[in-house]
Amino acid sequence: MKYCMLKHLLFIPILCCFCITAHAQKNISGKIVDKETNEPIEGVLVNILKSKIKTLSGQDGHFSLTQVDEKSQIQFSFEGYKSVVIKSGSVEGVIALEPVVILDLPYQNMEKGKYLGSISTLNHSIEGIPVQNLSNALTGRLAGLVSRQYSGEPGSDQASLYIRGLRANNSGALVLVDGHERSFSMLEPYEIESVSILKDASATVLYGMRAANGIIFITTKKGHVGKPVVRLDAQFGYQHAVRDLNGLRAYDYTTMHNEARINDGLAPLFSQDDINKYVDQSDPEHYPDIDWGDELLKEGTWMQRYSLDIEGGSKNARYFVAFGALFQPGTFKTADEFTYGTNNDYYKYNFRANFEFDLTSSTLIDVKSFGWLKKNNFPGNYSSRFDIGGEFLAPSVYQQILRTPPTALPLYYVDNNVDGSYLDDKGNRVVPINGKINAENPNYRNPWALLNRNGYSQSETIYGSIMVNLNQKLDFITSGLAADFRFSMDVTSQQLLVRTQNYGSYELLSTGVMKQIRSQEKMRNDVVNYAPHRYTSLDASLSYNRVFGKHGVDGFMFYSQYDDSPDNALPSRYQGGGASLSYNYAERYFLNAAIGIQGSYKFKPGNQVGYFPAVALGWEIANESFWKSVKPYVNQFKLRFSTGESGNDRGVGDWDYLGGMAGGSTVYVGNPMVSKATYRENTVGNQNVTWELAKLTNLGLDLGFLNNRLAISVDAFKDDRSQVYISPMTYNFITGQYSFPRENQGKIKSAGCEFEASWTDKINDFTYFVEGNYSFSRNEIVDYGEALLKYDYLYSKGRRLSTYTGFISNGFFDSYEEIVGSPTHTLSQVKPGDIRYLDINGDGKVTSEYDMVPIGNPTIPEFFYGLNLGGAYKGFDFAILFQGAANMSSYISNYAQTPFYRNGKIFEHQTNRWTPETASTASLPKYTTSTTNANNSATSDFYLRDASYLRVKTIELGYTIPQTITQKALIQNLRLYVSGYNLFVWDKIDFLDPEGYLDGYSYPIQRVFNMGVKLTF
């Protein structure tokens, strides 16, 4: 019942939208009015103001004029522009009017020029970028935001995001959408007003032990005063793999497989007559040659995205309402034999309704509701992989397609009842389905049958949210004082339908008889409803903003409570508060002090609350009197410094301080004896467990040249982590305990720098921009609670997080003489053609105990950069984003590493193997079918690759048809555009995308070509 009610709640705000729209059409504000009397102001100055503001902002808006002096001055303000005093007999003040950037920040909004923290803000629209997950649209656009996308699977292609790189064992950022913690993966670009990342202590301390890794702060759109504006956007994108593994066909597979068996001292598996039959396909059911990828995977698929939004309002009520739909069809070539589908289709529907009501001139109520519905269809059974908080993994069908050799099986056996029927070993006819009999054998599952005959699963996830915010100005107490109250609740629920079956399958023997491999079973009809999950937050704040001559004061204090309440588990809570006070003198000297106080449910009573202080200083040199002669050229020269302590409890389990139990062995008790389950302590509780402490320091410089046409920002930072929650390596298992408690013994430090610059200008009718950002972050383990080790290089101390530990390879053994003359390799018996490793400690043996050292770079890049270019000319516009990463390693594993891995296939990139003839040029060890060659499969730098890359991340080209044409069709604006995503990449890995997993069975990252049309009415 809750599940059904949640669906209907998402659409209740639609009625409010229509009511407000009707009201707004009668009360559209377009006049300039006196701020005090609300009476219209007319005259020459008013017309000049209107013209100038429209030129600067490109829009009509609500203006306020206040008569300060009856004859001389008028106070002027307009949203997005700095308030100025204008002499009524002159227009000079209007000409000098400067826009001002207002930052959306936790618990306050502030002019960017007054903010002392380290912040990066998204500057351009991302609505035309053809991505399913918002995380991929942010890549390369914000200094300090590092990402890596591992998979391109529909519905599970989100990127992992890190602010200032990997700085701790658990480095996830705190994501706030409209001030409430929630995932932004289901947001659509058209819903977003602004995206900022907050990186230093001045902001993160307010969230105590939740934000040491930084904050991604997202604000959704709101309505504006004016007539209703309707926007419709339709996109059609063709997506296909950037790179995919290509398996070799039957001739190469059989000959190379024979070579591997000969290397193993075994007889060849395939005779020459067999090989000839695989090649000429004279008997395809006994000697198949199947390109499973070509048969079962599409070259690409068409993705569709639609959005419709409406905004407008009056002075007293404003609204923004949006609807969206995304259709991402599956990538498999299905037989479509039944009324149900077995493809991996993905659908998503979004809804948002944001309203603002001015109940009085001093009371504003803000109501935001949004929701989404996500549907996934899968071949086969996915119940074991269904996780209420997670995502689906790559389909097993896809893994079987990549594993199965071309000679293993035919797609199916054809029984058209013309040449006779197939019989089983009991003489009974094997009954086909649609003329096809499922082919299988004891060694291989048939990918075609898994895709088409194994049934299907469907999941449906629904998410709804409501937020109510009340802002009350308290000027009647003192000018600039305001109170804010906010309540937010999110609810999610999931349902899984499992309709799978074991299909009947057979192996065609050389005698012509069919041997049954598995029997046909009835289709399941299971429905699993997962309990609703609720997230609620309650915030209250009191803010003060006042200017006393040259003295500016901004401050706020707040209370915050966040609850996570699943229906089938114990709830959890964060609770706390804090305060921030900012002062500036003549906008030259700045000071900010902040403190966060927070308690967490993860720690024992009495040890739940932490105090996190921060201080920031700033100096705007460009506002000094001695800078006046330079200011027309260098209009901003601001120094920033901040330091403070923040916390991180992400690595701590919910009840680690209590310990945990796990199921034990079964015992038999009683008379008569019956079996009983037992439990044992599998985790010892640690009563002293606490949060990871981060000491953050940031030094920044902001420069603006030529009225900010050129803007530069540089930051250097340091992050010292103590109390890192780790499993100390000083223990052993002598006591018989299953595991020992983790402790806050670790220390990690990191440091780095960021640079971002932008140039915006206009040449006649051509406007253009150039933006670049660069980030560097490097971490180092200072202490990991390790016991005394024999060699210094064995310690984790001094290493970087997420780096591999492995052997150092030194070519191949070319002869038995080399093997005898080399250090003894103890992993397994070695022969010519096997990998040779260095004896690091010089004891004459290569062992995993003493000869494995740090290898390569971290899996998360240390260098990350982007270059964004764009412009517009007479209706034409373009934008291109180059994005790159460096100092990043990826490891080749599983099917992509070893030919014939788990009796699988061989790929094109695996042909340059060692033979006596190719010993000097080989890049792979000799072929083998052995599963016991631990030497060649050991973790080493041999399979580690430099995953640095530079790619053309996005390109967008558009044309806006002149209004003189579109207005005849009652269309205010019509834009046609094409865009692309992941178009080109330059790297050192040529067989798979450098960002993705190099394992040979994960879903490949996708390239998208997109075209769209956007209409505004």
Side-chain angles (χ1 to χ4, degrees), residues 129 136-137 139-141 147 149 880-883 949 951-955 980-984 995 1005:
I129 300 175
N136 296 316
T139 299
R141 298 177 183 273
S147 72
Q149 182 186 357
I880 179 170
L881 173 65
F882 295 90
Q883 182 264 318
Y949 65 87
R951 67 166 86 242
V952 178
K953 192 68 174 180
T954 60
I955 291 180
Y981 173 74
N982 277 344
L983 295 180
F984 308 101
E995 273 194 271
I1005 291 176

Side-chain angles (χ1 to χ4, degrees), residues 169 692 721-730 743-749 780-788 795-799 801:
N169 288 330
E692 180 179 293
R721 302 283 174 114
S722 60
Q723 303 176 181
V724 177
Y725 196 48
I726 60 171
S727 297
M729 299 175 66
T730 56
E743 296 183 4
N744 297 99
Q745 289 191 8
K747 294 181 180 180
I748 301 170
K749 66 179 181 180
E780 179 183 330
I781 297 172
V782 178
D783 185 2
Y784 247 31
E786 294 168 300
L788 184 65
Y795 288 102
S796 297
K797 180 180 179 180
R799 300 187 184 186
L801 295 170

Side-chain angles (χ1 to χ4, degrees), residues 422-430 506-507 509 511-517:
Y422 288 109
L423 303 177
D424 63 19
D425 52 3
K426 297 180 181 179
N428 298 318
R429 186 192 173 200
V430 177
Y506 297 84
E507 179 183 12
L509 304 178
T511 59
V513 173
M514 282 198 164
K515 177 184 177 181
Q516 188 174 48
I517 302 299

Side-chain angles (χ1 to χ4, degrees), residues 391-575:
E391 298 287 350
F392 291 93
L393 304 178
S396 59
V397 173
Y398 184 77
Q399 296 174 9
Q400 290 296 331
I401 289 172
L402 290 179
R403 171 183 178 259
T404 309
T407 61
L409 298 160
L411 282 176
Y412 43 78
Y413 301 119
V414 178
D415 187 349
N416 52 23
N417 207 22
V418 174
D419 300 323
S421 302
Y422 288 109
L423 303 177
D424 63 19
D425 52 3
K426 297 180 181 179
N428 298 318
R429 186 192 173 200
V430 177
V431 180
I433 300 176
N434 298 325
K436 302 169 185 175
I437 299 172
N438 299 323
E440 212 152 80
N441 63 50
N443 296 319
Y444 298 99
R445 296 293 301 268
N446 188 315
W448 184 89
L450 284 172
L451 175 61
N452 294 290
R453 300 282 175 86
N454 196 35
Y456 67 101
S457 299
Q458 288 182 346
S459 74
E460 184 175 290
T461 307
I462 189 168
Y463 190 105
S465 171
I466 184 73
M467 189 193 83
V468 180
N469 190 94
L470 176 66
N471 180 269
Q472 178 64 57
K473 294 180 181 179
L474 303 174
D475 292 332
F476 63 89
I477 299 177
T478 183
S479 179
L481 186 66
D484 200 85
F485 304 92
R486 182 175 64 215
F487 172 77
S488 181
M489 181 174 68
D490 294 26
V491 180
T492 182
S493 183
Q494 295 180 323
Q495 184 181 84
L496 177 66
L497 171 67
V498 180
R499 301 216 64 197
T500 59
Q501 62 183 354
N502 278 330
Y503 52 83
S505 61
Y506 297 84
E507 179 183 12
L508 181 61
L509 304 178
S510 58
T511 59
V513 173
M514 282 198 164
K515 177 184 177 181
Q516 188 174 48
I517 302 299
R518 65 184 71 248
S519 59
Q520 182 77 32
E521 294 184 359
K522 185 178 180 180
M523 179 173 281
R524 295 170 57 189
N525 189 19
D526 299 338
V527 178
V528 182
N529 287 304
Y530 289 81
H533 205 110
R534 294 181 305 281
Y535 309 89
T536 57
S537 67
L538 179 66
D539 296 88
S541 63
L542 190 66
S543 62
Y544 182 70
N545 186 329
R546 191 81 178 269
V547 176
F548 303 92
K550 294 183 178 181
H551 304 275
V553 179
D554 287 275
F556 62 88
M557 56 190 302
F558 69 94
Y559 168 82
S560 177
Q561 179 177 307
Y562 178 80
D563 293 272
D564 182 352
S565 306
D567 273 16
N568 58 351
L570 292 174
S572 59
R573 171 176 290 182
Y574 289 99
Q575 189 173 12

